[in-house]
Amino acid sequence: MKVLTAPMGWNSWDCYGAAVTEEIVRRNAEFMAKNLKQYGWEYITVDIQWYEPLADTHEYHPFTELVMDEYGRLLPAQNRFPSAKGGKGFAPLAEYIHSLGLKFGIHIMRGIPRQAVHQNTPIKGTDKRAREIAKTASICHWNTDMYGVDPEKEGARAYYDSLFELYASWGVDFVKCDDIARELPHEEAELVMLSQALHSCGRDMILSLSPGPALPEKAELYKQISNMWRITDDFWDKWELLYDMFSRTERWCTHTGAGHFPDADMLPVGPIRQDYDPANWTGFTEDEQITMMTLWSIFRSPLIIGGEMTGFDQFTMSLLTNEEILKMHKNARHSHQVWRKEIDGVEHILWVAVSSEGGWYIAVFNAGEEDSRITIPLADLEIYEKIKGRELWSGKDITAENELGVSLKSHGAKAFYVN
């Protein structure tokens, strides 16, 4: 599927881990449709273990019994997703989300359920069985649900074809496949087979690869077979993880383009980790959240909201609905870091991008522990003319000749559009 701009949506992981329910998904979809859809937000994704009846937190129950059909394909747990009753799977939930003008996504794990292998279930459309295609030495080191599938075995591709046939019948628009992006090159052939099955199922679906860090030497492979791939392990609301993202985005920025987007992971904003405590709120300061949204947008990472949307405050809404920032996310091209250096003892980082509508985007970050005032020579940006434009977060007009003066909060950022 060719997507011209990086996907924007919501995923249940940061809020509910493995414990999300249909009621939670529906209310967040309704909130997005009413309050965020007009800004470009459109995907609603159910994350891991929707097939696990007893899931209750971000933690997994080892070797627990999963809901599965006669062909070894996982199905939604009906106690958590009641509309799945009668063999309907996710079709009713997807239909409801589509009725809101949104798109529906699911998380899957690479491979075939261990439970299917132990029961030796048949593979749909073949005379092969689960034990004949399983790669039992290929396991996930943090989840016990699956074995890998051996692409060399007859029936392996048929199994993946049967999966995506099922997902297409449900109306799935987005598939986040886990335990695969950083396992290369060991599981590369399985990833290619999975991608081929998805792209031949007859329905357009985004393919997202997790977890990271993805391998830079495999960038061209990711670009050919998927739409987005994680460049980090799970990203949470800690400054040290956000600080580290400057290095990761600088490393991956040249691989962003129409149809393929390095993924800096979800935005842990507003209420998160709700399965542990409904009072939990992001640990990022407002300035750190502005830095995160600015970096993700000029870099053109997918924007996937992690918080419980119905609990958003005014600041969180302003963060996610700033039309100028979202326009930068859509229109930035050839984004890259210009420099990263200390100025008056404070670390600063400068990014620039060309706008597809003409002009430039400039993002300036203060990665230090003190507020600062800096002057940026326009020659550093290879701009040799007087500029005018606006700062995107405040909306204030600016003009500059030869140099641009910027005041920044600690861990804060500003973004400009100029021409």
Side-chain angles (χ1 to χ4, degrees):
M1 180 179 178
K2 192 73 167 180
V3 284
L4 299 181
T5 57
M8 298 169 57
W10 174 86
N11 177 291
S12 60
W13 172 255
D14 283 2
C15 317
Y16 299 103
V20 71
T21 65
E22 181 168 351
E23 186 275 330
I24 291 169
V25 174
R26 284 178 177 253
R27 75 172 182 237
N28 277 277
E30 290 161 1
F31 183 93
M32 179 178 284
K34 181 179 179 181
N35 300 286
L36 294 173
K37 182 176 70 171
Q38 62 267 41
Y39 297 97
W41 303 92
E42 59 177 342
Y43 288 97
I44 296 287
T45 301
V46 179
D47 209 86
I48 195 167
Q49 283 201 323
W50 36 266
Y51 40 79
E52 210 277 75
L54 303 179
D56 54 1
T57 67
H58 277 75
E59 310 302 323
Y60 308 119
H61 299 139
F63 306 105
T64 190
E65 186 173 352
L66 310 177
V67 180
M68 186 179 74
D69 73 5
E70 68 271 29
Y71 298 115
R73 302 178 299 181
L74 297 171
L75 302 173
Q78 295 178 16
N79 62 317
R80 295 168 53 201
F81 298 91
S83 70
K85 292 178 180 178
K88 296 177 181 176
F90 272 132
L93 180 56
E95 182 179 9
Y96 179 68
I97 288 171
H98 292 156
S99 76
L100 299 174
L102 303 175
K103 296 180 180 178
F104 178 65
I106 60 172
H107 172 289
I108 66 171
M109 294 291 291
R110 169 184 66 87
I112 187 168
R114 296 188 189 193
Q115 183 174 307
V117 176
H118 299 161
Q119 296 177 14
N120 203 23
T121 58
I123 305 303
K124 185 179 180 184
T126 77
D127 60 356
K128 303 301 178 183
R129 290 185 170 267
R131 291 178 192 169
E132 297 178 75
I133 69 168
K135 198 174 187 180
T136 55
S138 176
I139 60 173
C140 177
H141 298 292
W142 44 267
N143 178 278
T144 60
D145 293 345
M146 313 292 275
Y147 289 127
V149 168
D150 188 343
E152 300 299 319
K153 298 296 181 63
E154 186 179 350
R157 171 62 189 269
Y159 176 72
Y160 270 113
D161 284 340
S162 76
L163 286 184
F164 287 102
E165 175 188 53
L166 179 65
Y167 303 155
S169 75
W170 288 346
V172 171
D173 305 296
F174 183 110
V175 173
K176 174 184 175 182
C177 185
D178 217 332
D179 189 40
I180 204 158
R182 69 182 177 202
E183 301 305 315
L184 304 181
H186 182 58
E187 307 302 347
E188 182 174 327
E190 185 175 2
L191 171 55
V192 172
M193 181 175 64
L194 180 151
S195 175
Q196 291 170 342
L198 179 149
H199 289 106
S200 62
C201 75
R203 182 177 178 83
D204 285 340
M205 299 182 194
I206 296 286
L207 178 56
S208 168
L209 306 180
S210 287
L215 306 177
E217 65 269 23
K218 292 293 180 178
E220 294 305 319
L221 174 68
Y222 300 133
K223 289 154 73 171
Q224 292 168 25
I225 65 174
S226 69
N227 302 109
M228 48 191 277
W229 58 92
R230 285 263 296 279
I231 63 173
T232 179
D233 205 335
D234 283 3
F235 176 79
W236 284 104
D237 51 332
K238 298 178 180 179
W239 167 250
E240 56 266 31
L241 297 180
L242 179 52
Y243 180 78
D244 178 62
M245 199 59 68
F246 287 107
S247 296
R248 296 182 185 275
T249 51
E250 193 275 333
R251 184 181 308 126
W252 281 98
C253 63
T254 59
H255 297 291
T256 298
H260 46 81
F261 302 94
D263 178 14
D265 201 15
M266 285 180 276
L267 302 166
V269 296
I272 56 175
R273 299 186 183 91
Q274 297 296 281
D275 51 321
Y276 292 122
D277 184 350
N280 282 339
W281 193 265
T282 182
F284 280 138
T285 66
E286 290 186 358
D287 288 307
E288 289 167 349
Q289 291 176 71
I290 287 171
T291 286
M292 175 176 61
M293 193 69 177
T294 302
L295 180 60
W296 268 235
S297 295
I298 196 167
F299 172 67
R300 296 172 72 197
S301 171
L303 299 178
I304 308 297
I305 297 166
E308 166 60 58
M309 290 187 285
T310 62
F312 283 171
D313 62 5
Q314 184 176 354
F315 171 79
T316 308
M317 287 300 296
S318 71
L319 187 78
L320 301 175
T321 61
N322 183 304
E323 293 185 76
E324 294 283 5
I325 291 293
L326 295 176
K327 189 174 181 180
M328 177 172 70
H329 179 252
K330 178 180 178 181
N331 290 343
R333 301 291 187 272
H334 314 300
S335 309
H336 62 277
Q337 178 181 296
V338 178
W339 47 244
R340 181 174 186 169
K341 59 186 177 181
E342 281 197 6
I343 301 174
D344 296 329
V346 177
E347 184 179 14
H348 292 82
I349 303 164
L350 177 66
W351 277 65
V352 69
V354 176
S355 170
S356 62
E357 297 182 348
W360 301 272
Y361 288 111
I362 302 167
V364 194
F365 304 92
N366 177 343
E369 303 305 314
E370 299 177 4
D371 296 353
S372 65
R373 170 75 184 177
I374 65 170
T375 300
I376 301 168
L378 294 183
D380 287 3
L381 301 163
E382 299 187 82
I383 298 174
Y384 302 103
E385 56 195 81
K386 184 176 181 179
I387 59 171
K388 62 180 180 179
R390 57 195 172 276
E391 200 282 312
L392 305 185
W393 287 108
S394 66
K396 292 181 179 178
D397 291 336
I398 63 143
T399 58
E401 187 171 6
N402 299 323
E403 58 187 27
L404 176 65
V406 184
S407 296
L408 294 161
K409 296 287 190 180
S410 169
H411 296 185
K414 288 188 175 176
F416 303 88
Y417 171 74
V418 300
N419 55 21

